[in-house]
């Protein structure tokens, strides 16, 4: 048994590193066999039970440390319970809060792990062997995870457990950060015994709560309407979100939260659970008939099985748990801080993002070099900094039926290849970016003709396609290496500053020709490991390229990819009204700096809706910002407006992308939406207000702001008044429609539907 105590004050910088006087510790009480992880904001407490397994005591607001929290175990056996010890009717795992429950200990709820032995038994008993406490945070081999840059930013607890019969060992990892109310958890399984075992279920986290008085929040939707906020009251039985599409999916996000019924954006308790993973997942709330709630989250157990021979191990993805007593905004800001600065990595992590223009909705597949250069020259004159060449530049790609997998330039469109067009763009004073879809192949391609066995699917059965394409088997190293070779050649020969990495179909008929029958249950997870490996090789080879992940828009907007690509194309739906909902929901977990957001043409290409150029920009500002249109089709008046928009974004993008973000009014609850961002020193803020449909003779409307210094005086643009912060916080900002629906007040160039207002707040010293 290894025990290293850590219990000291920290004196570091704000945010991740903490401030002077902040405390963080992991304490172990030998007599009570209890562990207390805490910082200034949260406590997480667990214990070693009588039977050697681990019990959960508490997760929530910071508690004072004490010699024992044993009273929190608070259990007793119920009638007809299954009990662990002979002649003892008081100890039943069926009614005990646990840390990492197993099948076969008398607990009838869903376990966190299920291990199958050679004799078919699925019973296991992981007993506490010892622990280690140390500063810092370990990396997870082959997997993305949160990290620290200095060891004193976090403390880690490793708990060692063993199943004596099979010789299977387990390490449970817990990391608590200095100044973020978050715990990072994962598990590693190691087979040290002689027999072969199969992991049929191995979750990243399990947490038991003593009651069910929660509402569950999930982010759900479909293509073009991703991450809608859905709230349901917890009831008996299981409530879950999941993906079995091979990716985290448009339909559900690897996230759920439990909030108290009275919790709002600004007040009340909420617990967040987020999985740092990009493949199939399960996030589940299981409420038993005694009103206790178990949260489990990890790789989806269906279609998953992982054989471990002696000497082999399996590492789960990381789950990040957040507690807030300051409402949903408090939870989100914790995720934003951690994911923006200690999950995203690399050269672009802390940098303002370039304003780009993408040619997809301007040209689709129909372009040549001169058409592209015409867009580039006009965009440059408007102030755009980066041009992105989308789909259609490679092989014989003139439509979506051919050439995926053939990553060499189409010389009919680009006579001097990617190198030539990239140099021409740079000569105009702009950076050059390029689109890839490296995980996919068309049957009409050179790659498929040479390697027909490189796709996922059983050749004896019908194969489904999506968008006329098939999925390359990234569970095979030779496939990943071949794609890397093609991409490396393009990226190394041309001055490329940005890569948009797309992925345009879910996985079906998953079968790999590269492994035998016993390893087919590993294929989906190995595929994701292959994606991560390709990202890792490319980002190390080209550390200054800005990678943006994409999967038909937001189909793989998850923490796993944020580790490699600090921003993601939030949705293929660029309509300003729908983007209010999409970006609002996304912000529950993900920072503004991660959201790709563009101004597109009207009528909108997805909804045929007409919104003003100003409203489109007012929504897109709250993201990375760019344009998805042909600037040559703009009127001179519109071009001047675009120049002003770009000038505004260049001036305020650091505040927008790295300030503290607050949601104020939800678009899922009515006709309006509002959000705001505040600088760290509380001197500046920007408020965005959006009204979808025109009201007639409506009521007066005020919105209470958040995050301001109540003692500061702020000059508020549009209304051109000087107001104290406390007035704006508690009385509110007037956003009423002075025209009452009549054609008198003009803003955004007209009255009517689809209106927006931006308010700039600047403190007066």
């Amino acid at each position: 048994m290894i025990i290293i105590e850590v219990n000291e004050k920290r004196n570091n910088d704000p945010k991740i590193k903490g401030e002077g006087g902040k405390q963080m510790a992991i304490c172990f009480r030998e007599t009570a066999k209890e562990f207390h992880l805490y910082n200034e904001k949260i406590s997480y407490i667990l214990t070693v039970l009588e039977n050697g397994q681990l019990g959960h005591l508490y997760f929530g607001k910071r508690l004072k440390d004490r010699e024992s929290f044993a009273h929190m175990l608070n259990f007793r056996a119920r009638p007809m319970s299954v009990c662990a010890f002979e002649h003892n009717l008081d100890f039943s795992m069926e009614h005990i809060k646990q840390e990492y429950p197993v099948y076969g200990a008398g607990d009838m709820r869903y376990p966190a792990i299920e291990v199958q032995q050679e004799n078919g038994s699925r019973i296991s008993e992981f007993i506490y062997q010892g622990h280690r406490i140390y500063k810092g945070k370990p990396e997870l081999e082959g997997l993305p995870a949160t990290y620290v840059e200095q060891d004193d930013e976090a403390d880690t607890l490793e708990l060692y457990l063993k199943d004596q019969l099979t010789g299977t060992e387990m390490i449970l990892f817990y990391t608590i950060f200095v100044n973020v109310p978050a715990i990072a958890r994962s598990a590693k399984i190691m087979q040290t015994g002689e027999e072969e075992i199969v992991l049929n279920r191995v979750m990243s986290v399990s947490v038991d709560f003593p009651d069910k008085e929660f509402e569950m929040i999930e982010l759900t939707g479909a293509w073009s309407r991703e991450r809608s906020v859905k709230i349901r009251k917890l009831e008996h039985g299981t409530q879950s979100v999941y993906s079995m599409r091979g990716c985290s999916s448009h339909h559900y996000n690897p996230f759920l939260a439990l909030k108290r019924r009275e919790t709002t954006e600004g007040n009340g308790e909420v617990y967040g659970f987020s999985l740092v993973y990009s493949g199939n997942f399960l996030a589940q709330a299981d409420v038993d008939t005694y009103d206790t709630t178990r949260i489990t989250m990890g790789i989806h157990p269906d279609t998953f099985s992982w054989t471990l021979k002696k000497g082999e191990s399996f590492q789960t993805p990381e789950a990040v748990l957040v507690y807030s007593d300051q409402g949903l905004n408090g939870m989100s800001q914790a995720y934003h801080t951690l994911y923006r600065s200690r999950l995203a990595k690399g050269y672009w992590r802390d940098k303002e993002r370039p304003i780009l223009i993408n040619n997809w909705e301007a040209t689709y597949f129909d372009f040549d070099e001169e058409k592209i250069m015409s867009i580039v020259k006009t965009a440059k004159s408007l102030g755009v900094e980066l041009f992105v060449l989308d789909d259609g530049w490679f092989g014989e790609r003139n439509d979506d039926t051919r050439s995926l997998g053939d990553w060499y330039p189409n010389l009919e469109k680009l006579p001097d290849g990617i190198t030539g067009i990239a140099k021409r763009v740079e000569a105009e004073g702009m950076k050059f970016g390029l689109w890839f879809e490296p995980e996919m192949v068309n049957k009409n391609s050179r790659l498929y003709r040479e390697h027909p066995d490189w796709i996922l699917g059983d050749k004896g059965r019908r194969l489904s396609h999506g968008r006329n394409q098939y999925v390359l088997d990234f569970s095979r190293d030779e496939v990943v290496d071949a794609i890397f070779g093609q991409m490396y050649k393009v990226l190394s020969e041309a001055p490329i500053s940005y890569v948009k990495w797309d992925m345009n179909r879910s996985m079906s008929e998953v079968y790999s020709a590269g492994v035998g029958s016993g390893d087919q249950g590993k294929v989906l997870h190995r595929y994701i490991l292959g994606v991560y490996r390709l990202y890792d090789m490319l980002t190390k080879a080209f550390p200054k390229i800005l990678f943006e992940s994409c999967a038909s828009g937001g189909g793989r907007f998850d923490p796993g990819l944020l580790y490699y690509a600090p921003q993601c194309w939030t949705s293929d739906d660029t309509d300003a009204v729908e983007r209010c909902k999409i970006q609002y929901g996304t912000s529950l977990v993900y920072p503004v700096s991660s959201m790709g957001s563009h101004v597109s043409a009207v009528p909108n290409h997805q909804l045929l809706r007409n919104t003003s150029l100003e409203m489109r920009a007012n929504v897109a500002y709250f993201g990375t910002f760019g344009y998805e249109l042909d600037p040559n089709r703009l009127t001179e008046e519109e071009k001047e407006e675009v120049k002003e928009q770009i000038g505004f974004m260049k001036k305020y993008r650091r505040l927008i992308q790295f300030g503290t973000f607050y949601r104020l009014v939800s678009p899922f609850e009515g006709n309006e939406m509002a959000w705001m961002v505040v600088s760290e020193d509380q001197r500046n803020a920007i408020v965005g207000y959006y009204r979808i449909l025109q009201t007639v003779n409506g009521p007066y409307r005020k919105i209470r702001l958040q995050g301001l210094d109540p003692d500061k005086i702020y000059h508020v643009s549009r209304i051109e008044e000087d107001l104290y912060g406390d007035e704006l916080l508690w009385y509110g900002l007037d956003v009423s429609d002075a025209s009452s629906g009549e054609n008198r007040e003009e803003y955004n160039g007209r009255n009517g539907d689809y209106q927006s207002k931006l308010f700039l707040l600047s403190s007066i010293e």
Side-chain angles (χ1 to χ4, degrees):
M1 180 184 299
I2 304 171
I3 302 174
I4 302 174
E5 286 290 340
V6 177
N7 188 350
E8 60 183 34
K9 290 188 177 183
R10 306 300 172 106
N11 293 278
N12 304 302
D13 295 331
K15 294 289 186 182
I16 292 293
K17 295 184 179 178
E19 298 169 352
K22 298 284 185 179
Q23 288 192 24
M24 179 185 64
I26 301 177
C27 295
F28 174 64
R29 303 297 184 187
E30 179 70 44
T31 302
K33 288 290 191 293
E34 292 174 2
F35 299 88
H36 184 188
L37 295 77
Y38 63 88
N39 59 25
E40 284 257 320
K41 298 179 180 179
I42 62 171
S43 286
Y44 192 105
I45 308 171
L46 59 135
T47 188
V48 180
L49 299 169
E50 291 178 49
N51 64 352
Q53 296 184 33
L54 297 177
H56 177 77
L57 298 180
Y58 176 83
F59 174 38
K61 189 173 177 66
R62 162 72 186 271
L63 301 179
K64 294 180 177 64
D65 192 37
R66 53 180 293 165
E67 288 301 315
S68 175
F69 294 92
H71 59 284
M72 291 184 175
L73 196 56
N74 191 29
F75 74 91
R76 61 173 182 167
R78 306 285 180 172
M80 306 305 293
S81 296
V82 176
C83 299
F85 301 109
E86 292 282 347
H87 311 299
N88 183 344
L89 300 180
D90 291 328
F91 189 91
S92 171
M93 297 296 282
E94 189 176 353
H95 304 289
I96 292 176
K97 294 181 294 179
Q98 296 175 57
E99 272 302 302
Y100 202 76
V102 301
Y103 174 74
D107 186 354
M108 308 302 175
R109 295 164 290 182
Y110 281 100
I113 186 171
E114 183 185 285
V115 181
Q116 183 174 329
Q117 299 170 217
E118 288 182 349
N119 66 2
S121 171
R122 297 169 188 263
I123 300 168
S124 56
E125 186 180 28
F126 285 95
I127 302 301
Y128 169 77
Q129 304 295 303
H131 67 271
R132 179 183 174 218
I133 299 170
Y134 56 92
K135 295 179 181 180
K137 184 179 188 297
E139 294 182 354
L140 300 187
E141 183 178 358
L143 285 165
T146 55
Y147 61 90
V148 296
E149 292 186 339
Q150 298 177 8
D151 284 347
D152 61 359
E153 294 176 5
D155 283 350
T156 294
L157 166 67
E158 294 182 3
L159 291 170
Y160 307 127
L161 302 99
K162 185 172 184 177
D163 183 288
Q164 295 292 347
L165 185 63
T166 62
T168 308
E169 297 182 355
M170 179 191 299
I171 303 176
L172 296 181
F173 296 93
Y174 299 75
T175 295
I176 184 167
F177 298 90
V178 173
N179 202 32
V180 183
I183 302 281
R185 285 190 56 181
S186 68
K188 184 176 183 178
I189 315 301
M190 302 156 293
Q191 180 55 356
T192 60
E194 296 298 326
E195 74 170 274
E196 189 174 283
I197 62 169
V198 180
L199 303 176
N200 290 319
R201 179 187 184 96
V202 55
M203 308 304 281
S204 296
V205 66
S206 179
V207 177
D208 287 347
F209 291 90
D211 66 278
K212 71 173 183 65
E213 298 308 310
F214 293 104
E215 293 177 328
M216 174 174 151
I217 304 175
E218 63 194 63
L219 298 177
T220 183
W223 176 82
S224 211
R225 53 177 177 86
E226 296 88 350
R227 289 172 300 285
S228 295
V229 180
K230 302 294 183 183
I231 302 175
R232 65 172 97 170
K233 182 179 180 292
L234 280 191
E235 294 290 357
H236 294 148
T238 58
Q239 296 107 101
S240 66
V241 294
Y242 68 96
S243 174
M244 294 178 63
R245 296 172 171 269
C247 57
S248 50
S249 85
H250 300 275
H251 302 263
Y252 300 105
N253 199 258
F255 161 81
L256 66 79
L258 298 183
K259 78 174 187 71
R260 298 299 182 182
R261 295 177 191 173
E262 68 274 9
T263 296
T264 64
E265 288 286 6
N267 296 284
E269 282 193 314
V270 60
Y271 297 84
F273 299 83
S274 175
L275 188 66
V276 186
Y277 191 60
S278 307
N280 286 2
F281 74 91
L282 174 66
Q284 180 173 281
D286 181 15
V287 181
D288 70 10
T289 53
Y290 294 99
D291 292 354
T292 64
T293 301
R294 171 170 292 172
I295 298 295
T296 51
M297 176 179 275
I299 295 173
H300 203 299
D302 284 10
T303 69
F304 171 88
S305 63
W306 200 277
T307 301
L308 289 180
K309 299 177 182 179
K310 184 176 181 179
E312 294 180 339
S313 64
F314 181 84
Q315 172 66 55
T316 74
E318 181 172 274
V320 178
L321 288 58
V322 163
Y323 169 79
S324 168
D325 63 350
Q326 297 176 342
L328 295 173
N329 276 322
M331 175 197 71
S332 298
Q333 288 158 12
Y335 278 123
H336 294 180
T337 297
L338 191 61
Y339 284 1
R340 186 177 60 230
S341 59
R342 291 297 183 269
L343 179 62
K345 298 185 78 173
Y347 178 80
W348 285 98
R349 185 190 71 180
D350 302 323
K351 291 185 179 296
E352 301 165 11
R353 306 299 158 73
I355 296 170
L356 65 83
I357 188 163
N358 186 298
N359 74 297
W360 179 242
E361 291 191 9
T363 67
Y364 293 100
F365 295 106
D366 182 20
F367 64 83
D368 57 24
E369 187 161 319
E370 294 315 310
K371 183 183 287 188
I372 293 301
M373 290 308 302
S374 175
I375 292 173
V376 167
K377 290 175 181 179
T378 303
K380 170 61 179 175
S381 71
L382 301 176
V384 176
E385 299 164 315
L386 167 69
F387 170 78
V388 179
L389 181 60
D390 211 282
D391 196 354
W393 61 267
F394 51 93
E396 299 174 356
R397 183 76 162 177
N398 294 310
D399 55 46
D400 64 9
T401 67
R402 68 189 70 194
S403 292
L404 280 177
D406 297 342
W407 301 109
Y408 52 87
N410 183 330
L411 298 181
E412 291 185 6
K413 293 182 178 181
L414 307 170
D416 295 316
I418 292 301
T419 302
I421 185 71
K423 288 182 176 179
R424 287 189 68 183
V425 171
E426 288 224 325
E428 294 291 333
M430 291 176 64
K431 297 297 184 180
F432 180 80
L434 197 59
W435 178 96
F436 288 90
E437 191 172 1
E439 301 162 62
M440 302 293 155
V441 67
N442 295 121
K443 286 190 173 181
N444 185 3
S445 67
R446 187 171 71 183
L447 182 70
Y448 180 80
R449 288 188 288 271
E450 293 176 355
H451 300 284
D453 63 326
W454 277 10
I455 64 172
L456 289 173
D458 186 345
K459 288 187 178 180
R461 298 184 182 277
R462 181 189 300 275
L463 294 182
S464 302
H465 72 87
R467 200 172 178 253
N468 302 302
Q469 63 195 47
Y470 299 83
V471 185
L472 286 171
D473 185 356
F474 265 39
S475 72
R476 300 170 65 172
D477 287 345
E478 66 268 29
V479 178
V480 174
D481 290 340
I483 296 301
F484 171 75
Q486 288 196 61
M487 295 179 71
Y488 181 88
K489 179 176 173 57
V490 174
L491 296 174
S492 62
E493 292 179 352
I496 296 173
S497 301
Y498 166 102
V499 167
K500 181 178 180 180
W501 180 320
D502 213 341
M503 184 266 194
N504 277 305
R505 66 156 292 187
S506 301
M507 297 180 202
S508 57
E509 301 95 30
V510 174
Y511 176 85
S512 172
V515 296
S517 60
D519 285 329
Q520 294 299 324
K522 297 182 177 181
V523 171
L524 279 165
H525 180 57
R526 279 184 169 165
Y527 178 97
I528 295 300
L529 295 180
V531 172
Y532 293 154
R533 189 167 75 87
L534 182 56
Y535 260 113
D536 186 62
M537 288 191 293
L538 289 170
T539 54
K540 286 178 178 175
F542 305 100
K544 291 191 176 181
I545 288 181
L546 172 58
F547 282 81
E548 179 172 281
S549 61
C550 177
S552 291
R556 207 160 60 181
F557 201 130
D558 58 64
L561 288 191
L562 191 60
Y563 181 83
Y564 304 98
Q567 62 190 57
C568 178
W569 183 226
T570 315
S571 176
D572 278 345
D573 190 341
T574 55
D575 172 66
V577 174
E578 289 303 308
R579 272 302 188 105
C580 286
K581 296 179 181 178
I582 293 166
Q583 291 172 214
Y584 188 98
T586 302
S587 74
L588 255 72
V589 188
Y590 305 100
V592 172
S593 61
S594 70
M595 293 188 226
S597 52
H598 295 174
V599 176
S600 62
V602 292
N604 176 263
H605 288 202
Q606 291 76 49
L607 279 77
L608 301 181
R609 180 179 281 140
N610 286 286
T611 55
S612 69
L613 186 55
E614 184 170 0
M615 171 139 186
R616 282 173 271 158
N618 285 349
V619 176
Y621 286 141
F622 290 86
T624 59
F625 196 71
Y627 291 85
E628 190 107 1
L629 47 72
D630 186 347
N632 294 310
R633 297 182 183 179
L634 299 174
T635 66
E636 291 304 314
E637 184 179 357
E638 288 172 331
K639 289 178 181 178
E640 289 302 315
E641 189 172 352
V642 167
K643 286 182 182 179
E644 292 177 4
Q645 292 172 354
I646 292 173
F648 175 88
M649 189 61 185
K650 288 179 178 178
K651 182 176 181 179
Y652 292 107
R653 59 184 159 187
R654 174 149 292 277
L655 167 59
I656 292 171
Q657 293 170 0
F658 298 97
T660 304
F661 183 78
Y662 294 87
R663 293 176 302 274
L664 304 176
V665 179
S666 171
F668 298 101
E669 297 176 0
N671 189 45
E672 302 170 291
M673 185 195 78
W675 53 30
M676 66 182 294
V677 63
V678 183
S679 64
E680 188 174 336
D681 61 10
Q682 298 179 295
R683 296 180 60 186
N684 298 285
I686 302 175
V687 179
Y689 169 76
Y690 311 85
R691 192 199 64 219
I692 309 307
L693 298 179
Q694 174 73 60
T695 57
V696 178
N697 199 17
Y700 297 110
R701 187 74 173 99
K702 288 182 173 60
I703 295 174
R704 287 184 174 182
L705 305 187
Q706 294 196 41
L708 302 178
D709 184 334
D711 297 320
K712 290 186 184 296
I713 299 175
Y714 294 91
H715 179 76
V716 184
S717 70
R718 297 193 67 94
I719 62 174
E720 305 303 333
E721 291 187 12
D722 298 336
L723 301 172
Y724 271 104
D726 60 357
E727 298 174 54
L728 294 164
L729 292 167
W730 301 110
Y731 178 72
L733 175 66
D734 187 354
V735 295
S736 300
D737 181 357
S739 72
S740 300
E742 297 180 80
N743 191 23
R744 287 187 293 158
E745 183 189 13
E746 288 193 3
Y747 51 87
N748 290 359
R750 63 187 179 196
N751 293 317
D753 301 336
Y754 318 134
Q755 297 295 317
S756 65
K757 301 179 182 181
L758 287 188
F759 300 88
L760 306 181
L761 280 64
S762 303
S763 67
I764 300 172
E765 298 299 336

